[in-house]
């Protein structure tokens, strides 16, 4: 189902300090992604190919703070990222980072601002819905 929050991102100034903070206080599993300045975050049980294995929580990521991602971001699932980008601009939002492919066959992301100036991520899976 589209329209759900499916991911979050938390920027940091000091990666070791931030990862320790969330690991120690909330018990998050945080794994660095080799070759990238990005860490995957699991906030509950998950499987490598499917992500969260229990309903009720989402995973996310952590990365170095830099524009435009300088505050926490929620990412919303969409079936058609191109159509969603058009709807965002028609409704008074703006495209900040256009459609980008992520990984090999994972899908696409984009970043937009809503009508209030809040930064939001968009995600379209490469896998057909169903």
């Amino acid at each position: 189902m589209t329209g759900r929050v499916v991911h979050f991102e938390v920027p940091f100034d000091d990666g070791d300090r931030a990862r320790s903070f969330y690991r120690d206080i909330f018990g998050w599993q945080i794994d660095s992604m080799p070759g990238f300045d990005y860490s995957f975050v699991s906030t509950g049980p998950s499987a490598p190919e499917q992500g969260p294995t229990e309903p009720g929580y989402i995973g996310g990521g952590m990365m170095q703070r830099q524009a435009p991602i300088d505050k926490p971001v929620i990412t919303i699932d969409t079936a058609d990222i191109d159509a969603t980008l058009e709807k965002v601009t028609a409704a008074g939002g703006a495209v900040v980072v256009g459609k980008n492919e992520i990984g090999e066959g994972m899908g696409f992301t984009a970043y937009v601002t809503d009508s209030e100036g809040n930064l939001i991520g968009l995600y379209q899976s490469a896998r057909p819905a169903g």
Side-chain angles (χ1 to χ4, degrees):
M1 172 186 249
T2 63
R4 292 185 179 180
V5 175
V6 295
H7 186 77
F8 63 85
E9 291 178 318
V10 177
F12 54 70
D13 296 315
D14 180 317
D16 290 337
R17 179 179 64 203
R19 286 184 288 269
S20 291
F21 179 90
Y22 287 96
R23 223 184 254 125
D24 295 348
I25 294 174
F26 300 111
W28 291 1
Q29 179 180 332
I30 303 172
D31 299 304
S32 295
M33 192 172 161
F36 295 91
D37 190 22
Y38 197 86
S39 297
F40 282 111
V41 175
S42 295
T43 63
S46 64
E49 295 299 317
Q50 87 182 55
T53 57
E54 290 180 4
Y57 77 92
I58 60 171
M62 300 179 79
M63 75 295 235
Q64 187 67 45
R65 182 184 319 276
Q66 60 185 353
I69 305 170
D70 59 358
K71 303 218 178 351
V73 173
I74 61 167
T75 299
I76 301 171
D77 184 55
T78 179
D80 184 341
I81 205 165
D82 296 311
T84 302
L85 291 171
E86 289 180 20
K87 289 179 182 179
V88 164
T89 57
V95 176
V96 177
V97 177
K99 179 180 176 180
N100 285 301
E101 186 171 11
I102 53 170
E104 295 250 350
M106 284 181 64
F108 304 94
T109 63
Y111 291 91
V112 300
T113 53
D114 66 10
S115 60
E116 309 311 301
N118 297 304
L119 187 65
I120 296 172
L122 301 176
Y123 171 72
Q124 175 187 327
S125 177
R127 290 178 241 151

